[in-house]
Structures are given as C-alpha cells and as structure tokens.
Amino acid sequence: MSLTPQLRRALADRIRYYNELGVYDFYRRETAPAETAPEPMPLKNIAAAIVEEELFAAPKPESKVSYPVQALRLIREDLGDCTRCPLHQQGRKQIVFGVGNPHADLMFIGEAPGADEDQQGEPFVGRAGQLLNNMIKAMGIRREDVYIANIIKCRPPGNRTPERDECETCSPFLMRQIAAIQPRVIVALGAVAAKTLLAINAPMSELRGRWFDFRKTKLAVTYHPAFLLRDPRQKKEAWKDLQMVMKEIGLPIPSKGVE
C-alpha cells in the first residue's frame, strides 16, 4: 500500500508517541489464511521511520531555549486553545496546563482535571487537591516546591475516565513538560496516569512499591487522592509509596503520615 504524506505523518506521530513512552518494539502480522497462523514479524526500520518523520515535523519551539520557565511558556503557547481532540466540544471551560516549580525535583502527574480544576485552570485544587497538598506537606515540602500536571489537560464530561485517543493526543505535551522540567522523580497518581506513562496494563498491586525507569528519570506509582477520599484506609499504603520517594530524593522521613 502506498502511503500518502498525511498517512505517513500520522504513522510517524503514533510511533513517536510510543517511543516517548519508552516503547520501541512493534510487531505486525502478515495477511494469511487463519489456519496458517503466522508468527508475529518485527517491523523493520523503525528508526528510519522516526528519522523520516522528522522531515515532516517542525522543530519544537522550546528546543532553542535552555531555561524551564521559557520552555514551559513556549509549550503552553504551542498548545494554544487546543481543539486537537473532541473534549473541546464537550463542555470544557479552559485548558489546565500545569502548575508549580519549573525546576522541581519532584513531579506529580494525575489523569485529568475535574470540575474545580476546569473552573480555576489549575490542577488539583478541589477536594482531591487538598488531600494532595496534605500528602506533599507530610513529606516536609510545599506545593510550590513540586510541579503538578495531568495526562490530559481538559476535563472529560462528567469526570469520566479519559479515553485512549484523548490520552494519545494530549500526552505528548506532557512529555514536553517533563523534558523541560527534568525532575529527578515522577509520581504517577492512579492507574490511568501510571498505565499511560508506562504503556503497560497492570493492576496497582503490581505497579506500586517499585521504581520504573522513565525518560531518564525514576517513576513511582501511588493511589490517586480521589481514590483515597473514597477509601481512606489506603492512606497508609500511599504513605509507604511517598516514603520510598522521600528516600530517593533525600528528604527526612517524619513519623507522622498522611492525614
């Protein structure tokens, strides 16, 4: 099949998206009768496809600046009043980009803005945000010391779980934020954030309590504050995850946990 420039660009964008998530191995099946059941064949020249994609893609505007503050501003300007996915037609009031210290060692990433976030334009400002603030305070630091963002930047209607195409469309901007900030540690809040960032489908029991290598930084997984509001018994488990993070970035561990 011959590829039009538009199809080539779409294919390269998809490959680049998975590469940014750390996925480099792709497979396809040749068309054949069902009874032959051919083995998966590795797709060749993936690297060449990425190089070819660069011929179509314009350089990222932040690539020419070295300061995170400037880079984040350029990324936000590039995002604009985004209409790249259907969420802009489904009741979102504004884009919720991210907030915090552009030089942060620690970055928290949730799944999507809620009603309060959509109203105020800042992530984690509702009840779940208040609990996240308590979690950060329990670590001995301030909200202003970290950077906070979400996988997607528009509120899904009814606070539903973000759909895959929405995450695929929006998360490249998050990847650029991560590249600009270069945190020492990322904490994925909840299963949606963890599975999207790591490109794996696993239960929280397998994701928590361990470190993942992600884009030259370390990534840990813990429960989303909204889940902890529904099941406060899990706060002790979340505190264990935060203690692991504190140890990694050299923070003293207080005896008192998350309230």
Side-chain angles (χ1 to χ4, degrees):
M1 181 180 69
S2 118
L3 296 178
T4 65
Q6 293 81 6
L7 187 56
R8 287 157 66 93
R9 188 179 300 112
L11 176 61
D13 283 344
R14 180 60 62 91
I15 293 172
R16 181 177 178 179
Y17 165 75
Y18 284 114
N19 284 173
E20 288 178 338
L21 292 178
V23 179
Y24 296 92
D25 297 323
F26 300 87
Y27 298 88
R28 64 181 172 87
R29 288 185 181 274
E30 298 287 356
T31 303
E35 62 270 13
T36 62
E39 291 296 319
M41 298 289 291
L43 260 172
K44 297 180 180 180
N45 299 325
I46 294 298
I50 296 300
V51 172
E52 187 176 44
E53 184 267 345
E54 293 299 329
L55 299 176
F56 294 101
K60 296 294 183 290
E62 71 272 17
S63 63
K64 295 182 180 181
V65 302
S66 56
Y67 294 103
V69 174
Q70 294 175 309
L72 291 171
R73 184 176 66 250
L74 291 171
I75 295 167
R76 179 63 185 91
E77 291 174 357
D78 190 30
L79 180 61
D81 185 23
C82 186
T83 59
R84 295 171 179 82
C85 84
L87 286 178
H88 77 282
Q89 298 175 321
Q90 297 179 4
R92 75 117 195 259
K93 289 184 173 61
Q94 59 184 311
I95 291 169
V96 182
F97 183 67
V99 68
N101 183 358
H103 303 277
D105 287 333
L106 179 58
M107 185 171 182
F108 289 92
I109 299 176
E111 62 178 67
D116 293 308
E117 290 75 17
D118 187 40
Q119 186 69 39
Q120 299 184 40
E122 184 173 323
F124 285 93
V125 293
R127 290 183 63 224
Q130 293 172 12
L131 179 52
L132 178 60
N133 290 345
N134 291 340
M135 294 165 68
I136 295 170
K137 184 178 179 180
M139 299 174 72
I141 51 180
R142 305 169 302 163
R143 180 182 172 99
E144 295 78 12
D145 297 325
V146 305
Y147 196 89
I148 305 172
N150 284 304
I151 295 292
I152 67 172
K153 306 192 182 305
C154 296
R155 181 196 180 195
N159 290 353
R160 64 161 170 77
T161 300
E163 296 179 356
R164 179 177 176 180
D165 62 330
E166 295 164 355
C167 293
E168 290 180 351
T169 300
C170 200
S171 59
F173 288 95
L174 173 65
M175 302 303 173
R176 290 164 64 183
Q177 287 174 280
I178 294 171
I181 297 166
Q182 298 183 10
R184 289 176 57 190
V185 171
I186 294 171
V187 177
L189 299 168
V192 172
K195 292 177 182 180
T196 302
L197 291 169
L198 298 172
I200 59 176
N201 188 17
M204 286 292 285
S205 58
E206 294 181 12
L207 296 172
R208 291 182 50 252
R210 55 182 292 196
W211 287 109
F212 295 90
D213 291 324
F214 178 78
R215 297 173 64 85
K216 299 180 181 179
T217 190
K218 288 192 171 184
L219 185 147
V221 178
T222 193
Y223 294 115
H224 194 286
F227 172 79
L228 297 177
L229 289 173
R230 296 192 297 269
D231 188 358
R233 297 171 298 176
Q234 301 303 323
K235 288 183 179 180
K236 291 183 179 179
E237 294 301 311
W239 180 235
K240 292 178 183 177
D241 300 329
L242 296 182
Q243 287 177 310
M244 184 178 76
V245 171
M246 294 165 66
K247 183 177 180 181
E248 176 64 27
I249 59 179
L251 291 174
I253 300 176
S255 57
K256 190 175 183 180
V258 181
E259 297 181 353

